[in-house]
Amino acid sequence: MSEKRQFKAIKGTRDILPPDSAVWNWFEQTARQVFESYGFRDIRLPIFEETELFARAVGAETDIVGKEMFSFFSQFTSDERFEDLEQRLHEELARDPGEEKIRALVDSNDPQIPGTLSQAAAKVRRSGESLTLRPEATAGSVRAYIEHGMHTLPGNQKLYYIGPMFRRERPQKGRYRQFYQVGAEVLGPSDAPGIDAEILEMLLALFNRVGLANTKLYINSIGCKDCRPAYVELLREELRKVKDQLGADSQRRIETNTLRVLDSKLPEEQPIIEKLPRISEHLCAACRDHFEKLKIELALREIVYEENWRLVRGLDYYTRTTFEVTAAGLGSQNAVCGGGRYDGLVEMLGGPAGVKGIGFAIGTDRAILSIQEGGNLPRLAGLDVFIAWMGAQAYPAAVRIAQKIRARGFSAELPPEEMKFRKSLGLADKLGARFALILGEDEAATSTYTLKRLADAHQEKLGEAALLDTLEAERKGTRA
Ligand code: HAM
């Protein structure tokens, strides 16, 4: 048999345990409320998609597609021989994780199985399609929008999603390989700047509601397919002139992904970049007009922002408006949200022409980290009632009152075995219960309950109806 061993979460992934998980639920629940108040509705997308979807949407030359995707080959192949082989390999592996048996299986003279495992695997891979754990969800949202003909629905589609994303980045504070996003997308015929302004308003309304402090909104316009190519060409020419003074990454990007040079954080490149031509001076009339109107819309909503001409974002699908929000307490990974317009993406992914899009995604891990560091966490409701019962005769009454308390929407903890009184109250305290409900044989005999508020040890003897009323009044804060 295999040796005893313990398992650990994979590097860059982590468990979110109680009580932290309650903070996550609160954050996501608040996002749902805020987004739904703006008419957005939940879309639930697959965790993996065809690799090519991301390559096309996010861009083959981006860091995400070039080096950060978790890709794998589908087990399903068109060749049944290999399906059988795979099936047997999986079964053998499950039975015995050692390698010997598998090698024996592969080396056997079974005419169905080619010579070596690697040959077989290579063949399986070639015939299987390449899939990728989603590094982001805009591509999937657009794929779903097209696949389900959502352009035929009236007006703009306003969608939001909540869930894990996967990027093979170097893990550090605020950067994980499995991380979580809360995102929103607006897809439809209109690209009115009011849409851009409204999703920014919604985003900031959420940040305000959850107490995210010291946020800063940066905006930019990176032009469209009409004006950007000429600007990129100009930028490339200027960059070639100073190529020798740039680091290796930027040198490479001059040719592969020119705009991304503007994103460089290298201190020695900063004075060079500051002198480069700026996109705002090269926008076409339509893009300039869109950006000006966006700023008017933001002013109307009293949204404070800073323009940052270097905000180009790390994904290729953006056009016109781009934005990012930073927050305090995060060190170098201080972007809690990024987004922008992607007007050509639907058509590029095989959908109808003329559909516009804009959206953002919040990094939940970072947002929560920042709220925690700022000490702004809300007091989340914990356990309401701990039922301290004693004596076999009290037990049936304890079970029944627990059911009634829970049915009213309060949480109740009922020890499954009898406990000594002091131990019981000690546990109630440790669990952070607001009340202990004391139920001994005397109480059971007279159908009364002693309700003890643990914060100040105030206690009173109550009948069932009065007990439930008291809990209700405490919840509403209408009782002293
Ligand atoms: P993004 O800027 O790549 O944009 O990611 C959005 C946010 O996700 C970042 O600002 C950050 O807070 C968080 N994030 C990204 N990578 C990690 C990581 N490795 N660990 C922790 N947090 C991370 C997008 O994903 C676009 N799809 C946003 C969008 C939607 N644009 C239009 N619609």
Side-chain angles (χ1 to χ4, degrees), residues 74-91 112 120 124 127:
S74 158
Q75 315 181 8
F76 304 106
T77 74
S78 47
D79 188 333
E80 278 176 28
R81 278 192 326 151
F82 297 115
E83 257 176 47
D84 282 355
L85 169 64
E86 280 227 331
Q87 190 59 38
R88 286 176 65 183
L89 290 177
H90 282 300
E91 279 167 17
Q112 281 197 327
V124 168
S127 49

Side-chain angles (χ1 to χ4, degrees), residues 136 138 167 169 174 176 179 181 185 313 317-318 335 359-360 363:
E136 59 96 72
T138 307
R167 297 183 194 176
E169 295 194 84
Y176 311 96
F179 61 99
Q181 284 187 345
E185 314 286 351
R313 312 264 306 122
Y317 47 62
Y318 291 112
F360 64 77

Side-chain angles (χ1 to χ4, degrees), residues 7-15 70 166-172 175-179:
F7 296 90
K8 287 208 160 92
I10 305 294
K11 184 177 169 191
T13 73
R14 60 205 182 121
D15 304 304
F70 285 100
F166 305 84
R167 297 183 194 176
R168 193 185 269 114
E169 295 194 84
R170 200 168 47 76
Q172 64 178 85
R175 191 161 75 192
Y176 311 96
R177 291 183 166 180
Q178 173 170 339
F179 61 99

